[in-house]
Amino acid sequence: MATRNDRAPRRRVDARSSVERIMAAGRTVLGRGDASLDQIAAEAGVGIATLYRHFPNREAVVRAVLEDILDTDLLPIIEDAADVPHARQALQDIATRLLDLITEERGLVTFASNFADVAVDVLQRFSASLHPLLVRAQEAGEVRDDLTAEDIPHILVMAVAGLALPGTTPSLRARFTALLFDSLNPAGATPLPPLLDGEDDLRTAVGNVTRA
């Protein structure tokens, strides 16, 4: 007979399994333009009560799926960039991959009322990995010296706002991504003013554009 101590790990495994199935189902259902939590639960093979136990609303599902996509598909590129010879090109490749992901997941992104918040929060977790890459680019004279690793997520999200809109072609995204990164080291640039409390304004502005 299973003891109480035996049952606890099994419950944790079952909970993880349910969460993973719900997230996979959310990516499928929301990606095709359906918005019902009942449809997500049915796709995941769980009851609606189980879904609500882990995710109180649709926004929570969207956030978890977007976080998982960025963690799974973007973090490995950031980690592999440590071995890339040209650091600025590596940063540009990261931006390009992020744009590709958001374009591929356009259906899902439309259900994120706070996409800018999610993207910035997730990308800020990568700041420690981005820091050595940025330092290398700065030492090579490829990126302005007063840029910080914490600035990169905001730059990437601004790129998404302008370049992941419906109808934007891959060649157009590539063209303006290159232009964006060229602008990070302009000749005669003025020093960046300190970042104070304007982060929420930036997120709001970017969120409004991505929902357009």
Side-chain angles (χ1 to χ4, degrees), residues 117-201:
D117 278 346
V118 176
V120 169
D121 287 345
V122 174
L123 291 170
Q124 288 286 14
R125 299 208 307 267
F126 301 159
S127 292
S129 298
L130 288 167
H131 180 70
L133 196 61
L134 177 61
V135 169
R136 283 175 49 209
Q138 289 169 329
E139 290 174 345
E142 298 177 331
V143 174
R144 58 190 301 156
D145 291 335
D146 52 359
L147 201 66
T148 71
E150 289 72 23
D151 292 323
I152 300 298
H154 294 281
I155 292 169
L156 295 178
V157 173
M158 284 192 293
V160 168
L163 297 176
L165 296 174
T168 306
T169 63
S171 61
L172 189 63
R173 291 201 302 272
R175 179 181 177 87
F176 284 93
T177 300
L179 179 61
L180 171 65
F181 276 84
D182 277 344
S183 72
L184 296 183
N185 195 27
T190 57
L192 290 173
L195 179 64
L196 299 175
D197 57 356
E199 184 178 77
D200 288 341
D201 292 337

Side-chain angles (χ1 to χ4, degrees), residues 31-86:
R32 67 182 181 227
D34 296 324
S36 167
L37 289 179
D38 288 319
Q39 290 172 300
I40 294 174
E43 179 78 18
V46 302
I48 191 66
T50 297
L51 186 150
Y52 276 119
R53 187 158 56 246
H54 299 292
F55 301 97
N57 50 48
R58 188 182 66 195
E59 185 70 19
V61 177
V62 172
R63 185 182 184 92
V65 173
L66 286 173
E67 287 180 347
D68 183 63
I69 290 171
L70 295 180
D71 277 337
T72 301
D73 294 341
L74 199 64
L75 182 57
I77 296 175
I78 294 174
E79 293 174 339
D80 290 346
D83 300 321
V84 175
H86 300 289

